[in-house]
Each structure stands twice: as C-alpha cells, then as structure tokens.
Amino acid sequence: MRRRCTWRIFQSIEYSCEQDQIKLHNFFNYLMDHFTPRSSGERDFISRMFTEEENYRESELEKFCDYDSVEVPDSYTGPHLSFPLLPDHAAALVEAFKQKQQLHAHYVLRLLHETRKHLKQLPNINHVSTCYSEEVTVCGDLHGQLDDLFLIFYKNGLPSPEKSYVFNGDFVDRGKNSIEILIILFAFLLVYPKEVHLNRGNHEDHMVNLRYGFTKEVMQKYKGHGKKILKMIQNVFCWLPLATLIDQKVLILHGGVSDMTDLDLLENIERHKFVSVLRGKKKKKNRLMELRDMNGDSINSSMTSLSSSSAMAPSMTDRMEFSQWVRKTVQEQLEKCRKLLEIESDSEDDDFTCATSVAMSKTESELSETWQTIQEEWKQIIDVLWSDPMPQEGCIVNTVRGGGCYFGPDVTEKLLQKYNLQFLIRSHECKPEGYEFCHSRKVLTIFSASNYYEIGSNRGAYVKLGPDLVPHFVQYQASKTAHTLSMRQRISRVEESAFRALREKLFAHTSHLISAFKAYDKDDTGLITLSNWATAVESVLHLGLPWRMLRPQLVRNTTNGMMEYKCWLDDLTIEKRSQEHIQSSMLEIIYRNRSNLETIFRIIDSDHSGLISFEEFQQTWKLFSSHMNLELTDDGIHDLARTIDFNKDGNIDFNEFLEAFRLIERSHSEDKTEPKPTPKSSKR
C-alpha cells in the first residue's frame, strides 16, 4: 500500500508537469491569436520567436551541418569517426562514453547529417521480420540514463546481424546523458540499418526538450557549436519513424492508439512536417501562407498577392468570416487596379468581380479541406505519441497529461482485429517492474529507465521476441546503490523522495491553499476538519491523490480531528526558507512557475546563448501584459529591464528574468490589495 501511494505521488506530479507544458503552448497560441503587432519590429520578433519556419530547406540545413568548417584540434583525445561507419566505430563510442569522454562537434554534426539521410529513406512504419535474426529486442524509454543502455548491451549484447533492436522513443530529456545515447543509437543505426530501428517518442520534440533538459544539456556540453547541433537534431527527430511492425503481427509505438487511429493514413503522412507535435495545430498569423508552405507549393499568384495584403486573415474555422474577408480583399485588389488603370466600373467589371469571387470561394473551400487534412494528420501523430491505456471501455481525452487520449480494451481489440494483429507494445509510462500487461495481455508497456523517480523506485526492463512472438522479459537495476539497500531501505528512501516532491508542490500553491481553507473556515478560527483539508488540497492541486490516506505523512499536529492550517503552511514555508534564504512570497512564485518561466526564457533565447536582449525582453512583456491584464508602458518595461540587469551588461540572464516576474507579480498583487480611498462626505 505504501509503495502504491508513493507511486501515485510521483506519477501525478510528473503528469501535471506535462499538462503544464501543453497549457504553456496553448498560452502561446492564444497570444498569437490575440496580439496584434504595432510595428515591423514587433512583427519580426513574433515571427522569429513563435512562427519561424520549422522545416528548414536543404540549403539552410547545409549551413547548420557544415561539419567541415568545424576543425578537430590535435589536442583532442576523444573518439574519432570515419564514414561509412564500421561496427568497431560504434563499439568504440560505447567504450569512450564509459570513460566519460566526449565526441567532438565535428563528428556529431557529420553523424547527424548521415543519420538524417538514412531516416529520410524510411517509411513511417518500419517492418521487421524475426526470420533474419534469432530475436528482436524491444527497449522502452531511456530518458538520458546512459547506464541503463550500457547494462542492456552488457546483458543482451551489442546490435549485430543476429541481434536486432527496436528502441521505442524517449531517448532524451530528464537524464544527464541524452546526447550520448543519441550518438550511440544513431551510430548503430548507420552500421546496422536492417537490425536497429528507432521510433519517435513524445520527447523527440524540440519544444519538449526546452523544458525537460536536453536543450540545456547540449548547450552546456557543446557551447559554441550547440546551436548547430540542436537545429540538426530538431530536423532528425521529425524524420524518425512513428511505429514498427514485427512479422505483421506486433505493433510497436511509443504512446498508444485511439478510436481514430488509422494505420493506412499513418503510413502516408509526411511526418517530417510535424517538427513539434505540440505546435502541430498552431495557426500562424497568415493562414493562406501557412497552408501553401505546408503543402510545399504555390497556390497561385493571385492568392500570393492577397496574402501580402495588410489585412490579417481571420481563422478558417469561421468559414463565414473567412469568406467575407476573401471577398472584401478581392474587391480591394480590383479597386486598386481600376485606380491605376483609370477604368470606371461597368457591367463587364461587375461580371469579372462576380467570377473572381466565385473562384476565390472555390479556393477557400480547397484550403479549408487542406487545413482539415493537416488537423487529422496531427491528431493521428499526437495520439500515437501521447496516449495511455485505461481499464474502462471507450476513448476519452487524456486530461491528465494534456495530450493524446485514454483508450480502453474495446479500442485495442477493434484495432487488432482490423489489422490482424496479435498485440501492441508501447512505452511512455514508468512501471514499477519495468513492464506491465493490460487489456487482457493485448497491450504491453515496456520501460527501460530504471530508478526513474528515485534510486530504488523502479526496475528497468526490455522484452525479447522470437519467431513465436512470445515475450521474454529481462529486468534490471542500473544503480549500484540500489543493490546495496534492503527492501525496507529502498521503500523508505523512495517514499521520502515522493513526499518531499509533494511538499514542494503544496508549498508552490500556498496562497491558493489559504483561500481554499478559508472557504471552510467561515468564522476565521484558523481551524478546519481533516476531511475539509483533504477536499481543499485536491481542489487546488488536482492531482487525484488519496489525501486522507496521505494525511498522516503530511499533517502531524491535529486536535480532535481539527488542524491549524496556518501553522501547517508556515511549517512548509520554514522548510523551504531553510534551504534557500529568500522571502517566502518570492519562493512560492518561483516554485510554482519556474519550469514554465525557464521554458519561456529558452524560447525567447533563440540562439541558446543563455541571454536575451533588452528588445526581446520588452517585446515578450508586451505579449504577457496583453494576457495578464497588466498595464505596462514601453518606458515602464524598459525601466524594469534596466533594474533587473544587475551586472549592467545590456542583456538579461535567467535569474534576472525570474526577478522581473517576481517584481511584476508583486506589483500586480499590491494593486489588487491596495484599499480604495474612502470618498469624502459632501456637506449638505
């Protein structure tokens, strides 16, 4: 029971963070739909930060992948690569990384270049047969934990013609060695293209990498060349296949399926166009240009002239509004032509206008259908990468993660029957034993990152399939420390870590909790019942945890079934302030918003230098103020930027960015709480 509760704490907090990630990007989409640039400078900033073309042309990628211009100095003592790669090269990389060596940026860029060329030739769904090797080994999430990959290779052997592997996504983020894992997997992919297969996971997405550590890791390890490497990885990720099919009977994909999953459609999607699945349904400020770019061809010259019109195209979801905009813009263009040619309106012009409007309506309909197709394709991909199984029948939106869906056993059975499959293998969820069956053993979850939440929290596992397709599991613990602890010590250590994370979550919502508690304390006694405490905490955190069961670990001092909630919150505050000597109000704001703010900072920091300019800072705060209802003038924002630029270098780093948020939040709170002046009574 203790272990189950601990597990639910870890998982609930993890999924709430993923939900925050989705909400953050919905917030960006909101800003894009509601913020109107007032100058070309603002427009350029918006375009660069949110709507820059994600699919680079070949010429642009060549610039990022100019590995020949990156020289390897004579002093370099790390591993060397030559192409085409040989088995010895890949094995040497494994040994070099065991010795904590780093591969030079020249070789990294060359490896990414060759990997991209190979991936472009692959279908969306890889087809693998057990006839060509003794068995196929399927590995789940690794999340930057290099020791787990080393242990898999030690136990199971390196990839070879007799040893096929399928790595089922989420190679990066969270762990400290994501780039090394990518390098090893890409090297073996090039050496054994028929024996090594890589599926895309939801973390093979540059927008997710901004939040969960991979972007930061690459910039720290490769500094000057980090931006080039990240741009290449971003493009490599979008070319990763979406699924693998073994002997036409076992479907392997990262997340899951939905009641709309169509493998025939999935096989024909141009997967590389979805560079970030989180941004798949983003609508740029100019819908016509977006559709033209995503289709890779020009619609026609007349539409191009329309798209350059100063008027902003409304959303295509409102067909009537869009239709009116098209006709109005056509009329404006015709009127300009008439004025230039000094032609008066007559019946012939009216006929021409009518014909043009009909033609534009037809084009509008075609564009709307194209947009709907893009949306359907995006839905297929996000369901495959983000979904989770559930025990109940049906298919519902995955509100816990914020993306994909929950699919029931009936959805699984329907898909298996439709495509004549035996079972599904997916990853995406950490499991205590490293694997877990559900849906009458028709869905298998495999997770390969051991000690994912804490040392001793879970085993890692991989599964081996022979020609009979009967799964054989191998479990392991990659941490040496875990082997030295008794079962009781492991449980205690994991439990302590889980409750520490939960207390941080509670502390981050102190002000909201006070409001919720006061709703049950009508007489302002400072006391509430334990039952009301549990209800109030869930109403604020929305973690779906059994708070009454967890209460003894979280609430120590009670009297006659009542608790002093202010003292309880003070205890949380003192615990945090003892670790960081900062005032509690600032700490609460940082704890609650740090992940979102760090992600926002990295998006603004387009060159990944760790610094943003005053201009970028000003434009960003204009966006935020439009959403947060804060009245900030240009001079006010500039003064704020100068105030927080502590070292006066003309740039703002992340800690300074946090300070700006704290100052604005404090000012906003003071404005809300400031008492209104009492009007003077007039004499009668």
Side-chain angles (χ1 to χ4, degrees):
M1 182 61 72
R2 286 173 59 190
R3 190 178 182 189
R4 196 179 306 132
C5 286
T6 301
W7 193 260
R8 286 191 63 180
I9 293 172
F10 278 131
Q11 207 162 57
S12 296
I13 292 175
E14 178 189 2
Y15 292 171
S16 71
C17 290
E18 291 185 345
Q19 192 178 97
D20 287 344
Q21 174 80 358
I22 300 288
K23 288 178 180 177
L24 179 61
H25 288 88
N26 288 341
F27 165 66
F28 284 152
N29 288 336
Y30 171 87
L31 291 179
M32 287 305 304
D33 288 341
H34 293 83
F35 182 81
T36 303
R38 292 179 296 177
S39 66
S40 60
E42 288 185 5
R43 191 174 298 110
D44 291 344
F45 172 74
I46 298 287
S47 177
R48 185 173 68 253
M49 189 164 74
F50 296 125
T51 63
E52 66 177 344
E53 185 59 44
E54 293 174 320
N55 256 321
Y56 298 99
R57 296 182 179 87
E58 291 294 327
S59 59
E60 293 172 319
L61 280 171
E62 288 298 324
K63 179 184 70 175
F64 285 119
C65 197
D66 185 16
Y67 49 83
D68 285 332
S69 67
V70 181
E71 295 185 0
V72 182
D74 294 336
S75 58
Y76 172 70
T77 58
H80 292 264
L81 299 179
S82 60
F83 294 82
L85 288 180
L86 300 174
D88 287 347
H89 292 132
L93 281 173
V94 174
E95 294 305 315
F97 292 151
K98 286 181 180 178
Q99 302 302 318
K100 310 298 182 184
Q101 294 180 335
Q102 182 171 302
L103 184 65
H104 194 275
H106 169 87
Y107 298 121
V108 176
L109 288 168
R110 179 70 189 274
L111 179 67
L112 292 171
H113 175 72
E114 298 297 331
T115 301
R116 179 176 175 272
K117 283 201 305 184
H118 172 70
L119 290 174
K120 287 177 67 176
Q121 302 171 19
L122 299 181
N124 291 348
I125 302 178
N126 266 321
H127 292 258
V128 179
S129 173
T130 56
C131 296
Y132 301 110
S133 62
E134 296 177 3
E135 59 191 9
V136 177
T137 300
V138 182
C139 300
D141 300 34
L142 287 167
H143 278 302
Q145 297 186 190
L146 190 56
D147 286 342
D148 287 296
L149 183 60
F150 288 157
L151 190 55
I152 291 169
F153 285 161
Y154 174 77
K155 285 177 169 289
N156 199 56
L158 295 175
S160 69
E162 297 76 32
K163 190 79 65 177
S164 292
Y165 277 90
V166 177
F167 292 93
N168 197 24
D170 278 14
F171 319 122
V172 302
D173 280 334
R174 302 188 189 277
K176 297 179 180 179
N177 298 106
S178 295
I179 187 65
E180 287 82 4
I181 285 179
L182 278 188
I183 290 169
I184 290 173
L185 295 184
F186 290 164
F188 278 113
L189 175 70
L190 295 178
V191 173
Y192 299 112
K194 293 182 179 179
E195 288 79 26
V196 175
H197 310 277
L198 309 179
N199 287 344
R200 185 177 185 176
N202 64 307
H203 278 260
E204 277 66 65
D205 186 312
H206 71 102
M207 297 303 289
V208 178
N209 302 151
L210 285 167
R211 186 185 191 99
Y212 290 104
F214 181 50
T215 300
K216 186 176 181 180
E217 177 192 331
V218 173
M219 290 305 300
Q220 286 178 341
K221 290 179 178 178
Y222 286 96
K223 297 180 173 61
H225 303 295
K227 183 179 178 181
K228 287 185 177 181
I229 292 172
L230 284 170
K231 291 295 183 184
M232 281 301 298
I233 289 174
Q234 172 181 329
N235 196 264
V236 169
F237 279 171
C238 72
W239 281 105
L240 286 168
L242 302 172
T244 301
L245 192 57
I246 298 180
D247 291 347
Q248 304 295 319
K249 291 294 183 183
V250 180
L251 180 64
I252 307 171
L253 30 71
H254 180 72
V257 297
S258 74
D259 53 359
M260 301 297 291
T261 298
D262 184 334
L263 297 186
D264 298 322
L265 176 57
L266 203 63
E267 276 199 293
N268 291 296
I269 291 174
E270 294 183 75
R271 66 182 185 272
H272 65 283
K273 291 184 176 179
F274 296 89
V275 179
S276 173
V277 180
L278 287 181
R279 295 172 70 174
K281 59 178 181 179
K282 170 177 62 64
K283 297 177 182 177
K284 299 182 182 179
K285 65 179 179 180
N286 195 316
R287 274 74 178 175
L288 300 178
M289 290 296 289
E290 178 182 33
L291 291 168
R292 186 193 70 181
D293 291 342
M294 291 197 75
N295 281 322
D297 56 67
S298 176
I299 298 169
N300 56 49
S301 59
S302 62
M303 291 305 293
T304 302
S305 66
L306 287 177
S307 67
S308 62
S309 172
S310 59
M312 296 281 285
S315 171
M316 288 186 64
T317 55
D318 188 336
R319 295 194 174 200
M320 181 63 72
E321 184 184 359
F322 187 89
S323 179
Q324 291 172 353
W325 175 82
V326 171
R327 290 187 176 87
K328 180 176 181 291
T329 311
V330 170
Q331 293 286 359
E332 289 174 354
Q333 295 295 321
L334 290 172
E335 190 61 32
K336 287 180 182 178
C337 292
R338 288 194 184 97
K339 288 180 179 179
L340 287 171
L341 298 173
E342 296 181 349
I343 298 175
E344 297 296 327
S345 297
D346 55 26
S347 59
E348 291 182 3
D349 291 334
D350 292 339
D351 292 341
F352 176 67
T353 301
C354 181
T356 307
S357 296
V358 171
M360 294 308 298
S361 295
K362 183 178 179 181
T363 305
E364 169 206 339
S365 176
E366 291 172 352
L367 291 175
S368 181
E369 290 177 5
T370 303
W371 179 255
Q372 289 174 3
T373 300
I374 293 169
Q375 288 292 84
E376 289 173 6
E377 292 177 344
W378 170 81
K379 182 69 167 61
Q380 291 288 323
I381 294 177
I382 199 167
D383 283 345
V384 163
L385 299 186
W386 280 85
S387 296
D388 294 305
M390 66 177 181
Q392 300 84 7
E393 302 271 299
C395 187
I396 59 176
V397 175
N398 193 332
T399 55
V400 175
R401 287 190 190 268
C405 69
Y406 280 119
F407 62 98
D410 57 325
V411 175
T412 297
E413 189 60 37
K414 181 179 177 182
L415 187 91
L416 295 180
Q417 289 184 4
K418 181 178 180 180
Y419 297 103
N420 194 26
L421 303 172
Q422 288 186 18
F423 62 97
L424 306 179
I425 297 180
R426 42 93 60 179
S427 301
H428 195 44
E429 284 184 287
C430 183
K431 298 298 179 182
E433 297 301 320
Y435 73 93
E436 183 178 278
F437 277 108
C438 65
H439 294 182
S440 302
R441 299 180 68 87
K442 297 295 180 65
V443 173
L444 168 62
T445 298
I446 194 79
F447 196 86
S448 299
S450 64
N451 307 295
Y452 179 63
Y453 295 121
E454 175 61 71
I455 292 176
S457 64
N458 66 286
R459 297 181 181 182
Y462 56 87
V463 60
K464 301 160 73 171
L465 300 172
D468 58 2
L469 299 180
V470 174
H472 300 277
F473 301 99
V474 178
Q475 299 167 285
Y476 52 85
Q477 283 272 10
S479 170
K480 294 179 180 178
T481 305
H483 293 291
T484 63
L485 299 175
S486 67
M487 176 63 74
R488 177 172 292 184
Q489 287 174 322
R490 282 203 298 268
I491 292 174
S492 296
R493 181 167 182 161
V494 172
E495 188 178 69
E496 181 182 337
S497 177
F499 279 101
R500 183 167 59 248
L502 189 55
R503 288 189 186 95
E504 288 182 358
K505 196 81 172 173
L506 289 163
F507 171 76
H509 292 80
T510 300
S511 55
H512 295 144
L513 287 170
I514 288 175
S515 298
F517 294 152
K518 284 185 175 180
Y520 291 100
D521 182 20
K522 302 295 185 183
D523 299 327
D524 198 23
T525 63
L527 299 171
I528 57 173
T529 66
L530 294 175
S531 177
N532 287 340
W533 170 85
T535 304
V537 169
E538 177 57 27
S539 71
V540 172
L541 266 61
H542 305 290
L543 293 178
L545 292 172
W547 294 104
R548 290 173 178 80
M549 189 179 299
L550 299 176
R551 193 267 307 165
Q553 295 289 334
L554 297 171
V555 182
R556 304 294 171 83
N557 300 319
T558 62
T559 305
N560 298 325
M562 306 289 286
M563 66 169 285
E564 295 184 40
Y565 58 86
K566 290 180 181 178
C567 292
W568 177 70
L569 291 170
D570 286 342
D571 289 342
L572 289 177
T573 303
I574 291 170
E575 184 178 333
K576 292 299 151 207
R577 288 173 70 181
S578 65
Q579 296 173 14
E580 302 183 42
H581 304 292
I582 311 174
Q583 65 187 68
S584 60
S585 59
M586 178 183 176
L587 259 181
E588 180 193 344
I589 293 168
I590 292 175
Y591 267 82
R592 187 167 66 246
N593 298 286
R594 186 181 179 95
S595 292
N596 282 339
L597 290 171
E598 194 165 357
T599 304
I600 292 168
F601 181 87
R602 287 179 183 154
I603 291 174
I604 302 167
D605 177 23
S606 57
D607 63 355
H608 305 295
S609 64
L611 301 169
I612 58 177
S613 68
F614 276 18
E615 180 187 2
E616 290 171 329
F617 179 81
Q618 285 183 278
Q619 305 295 359
T620 303
W621 272 104
K622 286 180 184 178
L623 286 172
F624 292 163
S625 62
S626 70
H627 179 70
M628 299 165 67
N629 297 320
L630 300 175
E631 294 183 6
L632 296 173
T633 63
D634 288 350
D635 290 341
I637 299 174
H638 189 67
D639 288 343
L640 176 63
R642 285 184 302 180
T643 300
I644 64 171
D645 181 21
F646 300 122
N647 58 4
K648 306 304 177 187
D649 63 351
N651 292 298
I652 297 168
D653 62 25
F654 179 60
N655 288 328
E656 292 169 338
F657 188 70
L658 282 180
E659 176 67 9
F661 181 82
R662 182 186 73 85
L663 291 174
I664 290 295
E665 184 74 15
R666 185 178 66 186
S667 173
H668 189 45
S669 300
E670 289 173 353
D671 289 343
K672 282 175 147 184
T673 57
E674 186 177 339
K676 295 181 180 180
T678 305
K680 296 179 181 178
S681 57
S682 57
K683 293 181 180 179
R684 301 197 176 190

